[in-house]
Amino acid sequence: MQLVRTFSRVQRVIVQTLAAQDVTLPQFDLLATLRFSDGVTQQELAERLLVTKGNVCGLIDRLEKLGWVERRPDDHDGRVNRLHLTSRGRRKVEAVLPQHDAVVLRMMQGVSPDQVHALQSVLDQVERQATSDE
Amino acid sequence: MQLVRTFSRVQRVIVQTLAAQDVTLPQFDLLATLRFSDGVTQQELAERLLVTKGNVCGLIDRLEKLGWVERRPDDHDGRVNRLHLTSRGRRKVEAVLPQHDAVVLRMMQGVSPDQVHALQSVLDQVERQATSDE
DNA sequence: TATTGTTATACTCTATAACTATA
DNA sequence: TATAGTTATAGAGTATAACAATA
């Protein structure tokens, strides 16, 4: 399956690009999610990232140690933490995103707008199907 | 970037499918490569899988312990190992491949033949570009 | 009781680099 | 010397499961 091989190749390029900025893919995934959903709980985040709450806990530990993320207790529910980017964390993700996008764009060079459009609808379809598999 | 999110999603589904058959993605990658290139050296394999020879060494250690792969010394060069699937290994990969393909096909459900064709040319392009980035 | 988050354990994968044996 | 493979180390990520605190 060419599809899978190309996916792996693309991902490897992305991982390398992130590594050059000292971020892992799961970390970037988390930061990028927080950027749009500031204040989510760890449980919500685990569901969104498709990992267990135990793993999210470890991820956040590392990101908190890096000073990019912070836990704040929920006002109404003593069990819940709400997650927020620190200003350093926001600066970090804002710095990484353009480079990330640039790499993806570079890999999409030579793909015509029509093809991009077609790809988009294919991806929508695949996304729906992949999500329903879980 | 929708592209990246969908890629991750697809890969996660694939990893889960492989896990249900007690194979990791790197292991499957290696087995599938050996299936078509029986007798490659560890160095060649490392280049093909884009990991270091040290990592390939560990991967093979685990696969040898599972009885799926074996190292055989090269006849002419005392430094070289050539890698072969055992019969159990071949049975394993032949058992996993159809399920793997089925999952990919299922995710591609609802994508028209025209779109698949378009996707193919996009992937070719992306593949070329991604490879040149390294 | 159920849920949120934490902790412990074990394993795979990866990067890096020093090491050996052979060429 | 250069190359093929091995070994050591350290770290991230993941799965699983037991645990504490709160609801």
Side-chain angles (χ1 to χ4, degrees), chain B:
Chain B
M1 285 277 149
Q2 155 112 32
L3 187 70
V4 180
R5 186 156 310 125
T6 306
F7 278 17
S8 306
R9 187 81 63 166
V10 167
Q11 196 189 48
R12 218 175 291 258
V13 173
I14 289 172
V15 166
Q16 284 173 353
T17 307
L18 291 174
Q21 296 168 289
D22 298 312
V23 189
T24 67
L25 188 50
Q27 287 170 358
F28 176 67
D29 204 5
L30 198 158
L31 293 176
T33 301
L34 273 194
R35 182 167 171 266
F36 289 107
S37 310
D38 206 64
V40 292
T41 68
Q42 297 186 196
Q43 183 63 47
E44 286 166 355
L45 196 57
E47 285 158 16
R48 223 175 286 189
L49 301 181
L50 300 175
V51 295
T52 65
K53 55 188 178 167
N55 292 336
V56 158
C57 204
L59 260 173
I60 297 169
D61 285 348
R62 290 186 281 274
L63 290 173
E64 224 174 15
K65 200 175 294 179
L66 286 164
W68 294 342
V69 166
E70 63 180 13
R71 295 164 158 105
R72 297 188 206 148
D74 185 272
D75 290 338
H76 307 299
D77 189 333
R79 299 169 302 180
V80 170
N81 285 334
R82 299 206 165 267
L83 301 173
H84 302 269
L85 287 176
T86 63
S87 51
R88 278 187 63 197
R90 183 165 301 273
R91 251 180 288 139
K92 184 66 186 179
V93 71
E94 301 290 350
V96 172
L97 263 169
Q99 303 220 34
H100 172 74
D101 290 352
V103 168
V104 175
L105 282 176
R106 182 149 27 102
M107 288 191 287
M108 296 296 286
Q109 255 178 25
V111 178
S112 74
D114 275 2
Q115 283 178 317
V116 170
H117 189 261
L119 179 61
Q120 191 66 37
S121 66
V122 170
L123 291 181
D124 286 345
Q125 180 61 36
V126 171
E127 174 82 27
R128 258 194 301 280
Q129 201 63 41
T131 307
S132 77
D133 274 355
E134 290 165 335

